[in-house]
Amino acid sequence: GVKGGFGVFAVLGEANSLGPNDKKSLWGTLFDVEDPRSKAPQCKGRFLDVYQALELARYDIQYCDWRARQDLRTIVLLHEKVVEVLNPLAREYKSIGTMKKELAELQGELAQAHKQVHISEARVSAALDKLAYMEELVNGKLLEDGTKMESSIAAPSSSTSTQSLDTMKRPRKSLDVSGPVQPYHPRLKNFWYPVAFSTDLKDETMIPIDCFEEPWVLFRGKDGNPGCVQNTCAHRACPLHLGSVNEGRIQCPYHGWEYTTDGKCEKMPSTRLLNVKIKSLPCLEQEGMIWIWPGDDPPTTTLPSLQPPSGFVIHAEIVMELPVEHGLLLDNLLDLAHAPFTHTSTFAKGWTVPSLVKFLTPASGLQGYWDPYPIDMEFQPPCMVLSTIGISKPGKLEGQSTKECTTHLHQLHVCLPSSRNKTRLLYRMSLDFAPLLKHIPFMHYLWRHFAEQVLNEDLRLVIGQQERMINGANVWNWPVTYDKLGVRYRLWRDAVERGSKPLPFSKPM
Ligand code: FES
Ligand SMILES: [Fe+2]
């Protein structure tokens, strides 16, 4: 009743220490949004291309936003009126009867305004759906634009099934990733690449790696900082990693020449010291990983962060050398739709096959979540995949969002292009529960075993794809909805190799 109304008035009066003018200006900024209706795209009764349609969807959102603000303004004004009616000063001049009547009228108007807000809400949700759909279309359009020619899979003429496929009306969406694996494009080298975990590089250890088909070796200098030099001695080409590290210098096992982390030869036993230098790469250590810059361009000053979110503890860091081209492995990691078919004896055991699998990217083009799985995923250029998997019950993943799950597994996969048709995979696994697992002896072997099992399920398939690709088949012959992230990776990579700027799907502002 009226008494409660006083309460509301009192609370408002106290909480709002702003003067009446300040209050107006506060609301003013909220409501001072231009009516977008004058700028509606003119497209009634016309067929739109995807960009025009996207423009239209954007306009819808703008309109919804403006409409919602108008609704809110109505409610605010009505609320002010209620307060006015209940104002103890005004009350003196009114009978209780008049007040009741006025309040009832206001109540009616408020109910009306609330209804309007619900309508606006529904409108916003419809507009957002439309926008998501438009995004799919634009994605498809990008795909078309990125493709020079129609797919041209060499169909063996004896196979009737392939023939019937070819005579069907083919979708225009296709990427061409076929033929023998090409040498790596030099532009792909102009990125920071994680190449090893810090914990694996002790003071006296050497880690030989191949990167872009060249042999390198990592070791720590006198100051403890990591360095990366060519893994070939300047004297007679002996692999340096077969030698040792002495006082921060790598010593060739053949005749004892010693090199610093920047490649300078500082010791040449049994002969006069000559001015000799071997190649070295910019090398940094960040967040428990060693990074190198293999490109010719000057290195960028910032490295991306690959840390799991706070609250996660790293449980395993595993390195594997795999016999597939890194792009094929990335395609595989960026795909979740294969899980209930491929990973039937590991993590996807017992999963049902959903009627529709989608990858949604509300925030940025290379980052999003899987529907209907509680899995968030991100492609981090140039070759990293980050994923967070919500775990409610083991083996029961479907139908929940990642946020709704109480426990999570975070994974980092780095797919380093090593030598021809080979990938050096760095895998890091973190959990936001059971921190004590870490201290169980030999747990590391168990994690490695799990990771290898999962990967082996993929590998036999990807190796098979690679064989076919080498013989001319297109591994992206017929992409569908759930292939979005993999396709975007390919578009990104094509753009890098073509030297286009800015690169597609760069992070939002
Ligand atoms: S080959 Fe290395 S010192 Fe001779
Ligand atoms: Fe897989």
Side-chain angles (χ1 to χ4, degrees):
V2 176
K3 244 187 175 170
F6 284 160
V8 170
F9 175 69
V11 167
L12 274 176
E14 272 163 25
N16 216 333
S17 56
L18 297 169
N21 293 333
D22 295 333
K23 201 164 101 188
K24 268 233 173 69
S25 65
L26 190 80
W27 290 122
T29 51
L30 187 60
F31 299 133
D32 192 14
V33 170
E34 204 188 330
D35 182 347
R37 281 175 297 184
S38 57
K39 288 198 231 125
Q42 293 307 310
C43 41
K44 266 230 166 88
R46 277 172 39 201
F47 285 107
L48 308 178
D49 71 23
V50 282
Y51 295 108
Q52 288 166 328
L54 188 65
E55 207 33 57
L56 192 64
R58 282 218 186 92
Y59 164 78
D60 275 358
I61 296 276
Q62 227 182 335
Y63 172 73
C64 286
D65 174 72
W66 173 80
R67 186 66 247 179
R69 285 168 203 266
Q70 299 313 304
D71 295 343
L72 187 61
R73 194 219 297 265
T74 314
I75 292 179
V76 169
L77 291 177
L78 283 167
H79 196 275
E80 277 172 7
K81 268 196 210 161
V82 172
V83 170
E84 219 171 85
V85 170
L86 295 176
N87 186 321
L89 286 175
R91 198 170 55 113
E92 285 173 22
Y93 307 104
K94 285 178 196 161
S95 71
I96 295 287
T98 323
M99 244 173 67
K100 265 192 180 159
K101 202 171 138 248
E102 279 183 21
L103 274 177
E105 276 167 15
L106 285 171
Q107 217 163 22
E109 279 180 62
L110 258 176
Q112 198 56 38
H114 275 137
K115 216 168 91 196
Q116 194 58 46
V117 169
H118 288 303
I119 295 171
S120 284
E121 255 172 22
R123 232 188 243 137
V124 168
S125 133
L128 281 176
D129 281 352
K130 211 190 280 175
L131 197 64
Y133 174 68
M134 297 314 304
E135 196 202 40
E136 295 275 322
L137 286 185
V138 169
N139 188 32
K141 181 84 169 84
L142 275 174
L143 197 57
E144 262 174 40
D145 293 349
T147 314
K148 301 279 165 320
M149 335 159 244
E150 271 303 90
S151 99
S152 53
I153 186 168
S157 51
S158 56
S159 154
T160 44
S161 67
T162 317
Q163 264 179 345
S164 66
L165 259 184
D166 276 347
T167 47
M168 271 165 63
K169 196 172 167 254
R170 301 187 64 87
R172 294 221 35 235
K173 284 186 182 184
S174 179
L175 278 169
D176 190 17
V177 182
S178 60
V181 178
Q182 297 300 310
Y184 291 109
H185 197 286
R187 286 205 182 98
L188 210 52
K189 296 184 185 178
N190 287 318
F191 292 91
W192 281 106
Y193 283 87
V195 288
F197 291 111
S198 292
T199 47
D200 291 336
L201 191 62
K202 311 270 182 332
D203 274 346
E204 318 273 85
T205 52
M206 294 154 288
I207 302 182
I209 57 159
D210 280 338
C211 183
F212 289 106
E213 303 187 40
E214 281 184 84
W216 301 95
V217 58
L218 309 168
F219 66 101
R220 289 190 188 275
K222 224 172 172 176
D223 53 6
N225 290 329
C228 176
V229 300
Q230 75 176 51
N231 192 5
T232 307
C233 182
H235 179 219
R236 291 184 55 208
C238 180
L240 292 173
H241 79 275
L242 300 176
S244 56
V245 178
N246 294 327
E247 295 173 341
R249 288 184 305 266
I250 191 164
Q251 185 191 52
C252 178
Y254 215 169
H255 312 88
W257 291 21
E258 289 186 20
Y259 305 87
T260 58
T261 48
D262 52 13
K264 176 113 185 62
C265 186
E266 280 191 345
K267 291 226 161 132
M268 270 180 208
S270 320
T271 186
R272 192 168 59 86
L273 181 69
L274 302 169
N275 187 15
V276 169
K277 207 171 177 223
I278 53 173
K279 274 199 282 179
S280 68
L281 292 177
C283 183
L284 287 174
E285 188 163 20
Q286 178 185 282
E287 294 174 348
M289 289 205 279
I290 317 287
W291 302 64
I292 61 170
W293 179 278
D296 289 332
D297 285 2
T300 56
T301 48
T302 49
L303 279 67
S305 175
L306 303 177
Q307 288 281 78
S310 68
F312 281 81
V313 172
I314 295 170
H315 284 257
E317 290 179 335
I318 296 165
V319 180
M320 288 182 238
E321 303 284 345
L322 305 175
V324 285
E325 194 265 339
H326 85 294
L328 287 179
L329 192 64
L330 280 167
D331 291 342
N332 170 268
L333 292 168
L334 295 171
D335 168 29
L336 193 67
H338 74 276
F341 298 97
T342 308
H343 298 292
T344 45
S345 39
T346 57
F347 71 92
K349 197 175 188 166
W351 282 20
T352 52
V353 179
S355 56
L356 185 66
V357 175
K358 278 190 288 185
F359 185 72
L360 296 147
T361 50
S364 96
L366 299 174
Q367 179 189 14
Y369 64 94
W370 286 95
D371 179 24
Y373 298 109
I375 299 182
D376 297 346
M377 198 177 268
E378 177 179 6
F379 168 66
Q380 169 81 249
C383 64
M384 285 81 87
V385 180
L386 294 153
S387 54
T388 306
I389 302 169
I391 306 168
S392 41
K393 274 180 234 147
K396 289 269 173 293
L397 270 177
E398 288 165 61
Q400 271 186 309
S401 82
T402 325
K403 281 196 196 73
E404 281 166 12
C405 296
T406 45
T407 51
H408 302 85
L409 179 143
H410 185 270
Q411 303 187 102
L412 164 68
H413 289 88
V414 178
C415 304
L416 183 75
S418 48
S419 49
R420 185 70 64 98
N421 299 348
K422 299 236 164 35
T423 301
R424 177 178 169 86
L425 174 72
L426 309 190
Y427 172 70
R428 179 148 83 184
M429 194 273 284
S430 321
L431 301 172
D432 65 355
F433 61 98
L436 293 178
L437 270 187
K438 209 181 144 119
H439 305 293
I440 296 177
F442 307 115
M443 199 60 206
H444 192 259
Y445 293 99
L446 207 57
W447 290 131
R448 190 179 179 101
H449 174 70
F450 288 152
E452 277 174 357
Q453 266 194 316
V454 171
L455 215 69
N456 284 336
E457 285 176 320
D458 289 314
L459 267 184
R460 62 188 192 104
L461 310 182
V462 180
I463 289 170
Q465 278 183 301
Q466 179 164 277
E467 281 164 7
R468 273 146 191 77
M469 182 173 92
I470 288 169
N471 290 323
N474 179 4
V475 293
W476 275 113
N477 191 49
W478 204 312
V480 294
T481 316
Y482 52 67
D483 291 320
K484 183 193 227 173
L485 196 51
V487 164
R488 288 190 173 186
Y489 158 62
R490 289 295 175 173
L491 293 173
W492 172 86
R493 184 165 161 186
D494 279 356
V496 169
E497 295 182 351
R498 282 198 312 269
S500 23
K501 283 206 173 102
L503 290 169
F505 317 116
S506 26
K507 293 256 159 150
M509 340 73 254

mmCIF file of all heavy atoms in Angstrom, residues 233 235-238 252 254-257, ligand 1:
data_model
loop_
_atom_site.group_PDB
_atom_site.id
_atom_site.type_symbol
_atom_site.label_atom_id
_atom_site.label_comp_id
_atom_site.label_asym_id
_atom_site.label_seq_id
_atom_site.Cartn_x
_atom_site.Cartn_y
_atom_site.Cartn_z
ATOM 1 N N CYS A 233 77.715 -27.638 -37.351
ATOM 2 C CA CYS A 233 78.975 -26.967 -37.038
ATOM 3 C C CYS A 233 79.543 -26.282 -38.274
ATOM 4 O O CYS A 233 79.458 -26.801 -39.387
ATOM 5 C CB CYS A 233 79.977 -27.985 -36.487
ATOM 6 S SG CYS A 233 81.541 -27.221 -36.012
ATOM 7 N N HIS A 235 82.599 -25.821 -38.929
ATOM 8 C CA HIS A 235 83.835 -26.472 -39.389
ATOM 9 C C HIS A 235 83.547 -27.543 -40.438
ATOM 10 O O HIS A 235 83.843 -27.383 -41.604
ATOM 11 C CB HIS A 235 84.574 -27.064 -38.167
ATOM 12 C CG HIS A 235 85.846 -27.773 -38.513
ATOM 13 N ND1 HIS A 235 86.229 -28.927 -37.880
ATOM 14 C CD2 HIS A 235 86.818 -27.499 -39.434
ATOM 15 C CE1 HIS A 235 87.385 -29.332 -38.389
ATOM 16 N NE2 HIS A 235 87.760 -28.470 -39.338
ATOM 17 N N ARG A 236 82.863 -28.625 -40.046
ATOM 18 C CA ARG A 236 82.638 -29.701 -41.015
ATOM 19 C C ARG A 236 81.243 -30.303 -40.866
ATOM 20 O O ARG A 236 81.023 -31.485 -41.090
ATOM 21 C CB ARG A 236 83.738 -30.741 -40.892
ATOM 22 C CG ARG A 236 85.089 -30.171 -41.386
ATOM 23 C CD ARG A 236 86.176 -31.200 -41.381
ATOM 24 N NE ARG A 236 85.801 -32.375 -42.144
ATOM 25 C CZ ARG A 236 86.272 -33.612 -41.893
ATOM 26 N NH1 ARG A 236 87.141 -33.800 -40.905
ATOM 27 N NH2 ARG A 236 85.901 -34.632 -42.620
ATOM 28 N N ALA A 237 80.313 -29.430 -40.471
ATOM 29 C CA ALA A 237 78.884 -29.771 -40.498
ATOM 30 C C ALA A 237 78.463 -30.901 -39.555
ATOM 31 O O ALA A 237 77.480 -31.591 -39.801
ATOM 32 C CB ALA A 237 78.431 -30.076 -41.925
ATOM 33 N N CYS A 238 79.173 -31.091 -38.480
ATOM 34 C CA CYS A 238 78.734 -32.093 -37.511
ATOM 35 C C CYS A 238 77.532 -31.550 -36.734
ATOM 36 O O CYS A 238 77.496 -30.365 -36.409
ATOM 37 C CB CYS A 238 79.890 -32.383 -36.544
ATOM 38 S SG CYS A 238 79.480 -33.608 -35.302
ATOM 39 N N CYS A 252 81.022 -28.517 -30.153
ATOM 40 C CA CYS A 252 80.916 -29.554 -31.182
ATOM 41 C C CYS A 252 81.688 -30.799 -30.716
ATOM 42 O O CYS A 252 82.811 -30.695 -30.231
ATOM 43 C CB CYS A 252 81.486 -29.038 -32.504
ATOM 44 S SG CYS A 252 81.437 -30.285 -33.811
ATOM 45 N N TYR A 254 83.045 -33.017 -32.447
ATOM 46 C CA TYR A 254 84.041 -33.516 -33.409
ATOM 47 C C TYR A 254 85.436 -32.955 -33.121
ATOM 48 O O TYR A 254 86.369 -33.693 -32.856
ATOM 49 C CB TYR A 254 83.577 -33.133 -34.816
ATOM 50 C CG TYR A 254 83.901 -34.146 -35.893
ATOM 51 C CD1 TYR A 254 83.350 -34.043 -37.158
ATOM 52 C CD2 TYR A 254 84.763 -35.230 -35.634
ATOM 53 C CE1 TYR A 254 83.630 -34.961 -38.157
ATOM 54 C CE2 TYR A 254 85.046 -36.161 -36.621
ATOM 55 C CZ TYR A 254 84.481 -36.028 -37.885
ATOM 56 O OH TYR A 254 84.760 -36.932 -38.867
ATOM 57 N N HIS A 255 85.579 -31.604 -33.151
ATOM 58 C CA HIS A 255 86.886 -31.012 -32.881
ATOM 59 C C HIS A 255 86.819 -29.926 -31.814
ATOM 60 O O HIS A 255 87.726 -29.133 -31.665
ATOM 61 C CB HIS A 255 87.493 -30.426 -34.162
ATOM 62 C CG HIS A 255 87.434 -31.341 -35.334
ATOM 63 N ND1 HIS A 255 86.360 -31.385 -36.195
ATOM 64 C CD2 HIS A 255 88.295 -32.315 -35.760
ATOM 65 C CE1 HIS A 255 86.559 -32.314 -37.128
ATOM 66 N NE2 HIS A 255 87.727 -32.900 -36.878
ATOM 67 N N GLY A 256 85.684 -29.885 -31.142
ATOM 68 C CA GLY A 256 85.601 -29.048 -29.956
ATOM 69 C C GLY A 256 85.352 -27.558 -30.166
ATOM 70 O O GLY A 256 85.525 -26.760 -29.245
ATOM 71 N N TRP A 257 84.928 -27.128 -31.344
ATOM 72 C CA TRP A 257 84.599 -25.702 -31.514
ATOM 73 C C TRP A 257 83.422 -25.367 -30.605
ATOM 74 O O TRP A 257 82.482 -26.161 -30.451
ATOM 75 C CB TRP A 257 84.245 -25.382 -32.976
ATOM 76 C CG TRP A 257 85.425 -25.465 -33.919
ATOM 77 C CD1 TRP A 257 86.595 -26.144 -33.722
ATOM 78 C CD2 TRP A 257 85.502 -24.853 -35.206
ATOM 79 N NE1 TRP A 257 87.420 -26.001 -34.799
ATOM 80 C CE2 TRP A 257 86.790 -25.210 -35.736
ATOM 81 C CE3 TRP A 257 84.675 -24.038 -35.979
ATOM 82 C CZ2 TRP A 257 87.225 -24.779 -37.002
ATOM 83 C CZ3 TRP A 257 85.105 -23.619 -37.240
ATOM 84 C CH2 TRP A 257 86.370 -23.979 -37.735
HETATM 85 S S1 FES B 1 82.963 -30.420 -37.207
HETATM 86 FE FE1 FES B 1 82.620 -29.268 -35.479
HETATM 87 S S2 FES B 1 84.542 -28.829 -34.727
HETATM 88 FE FE2 FES B 1 84.911 -29.955 -36.488
#
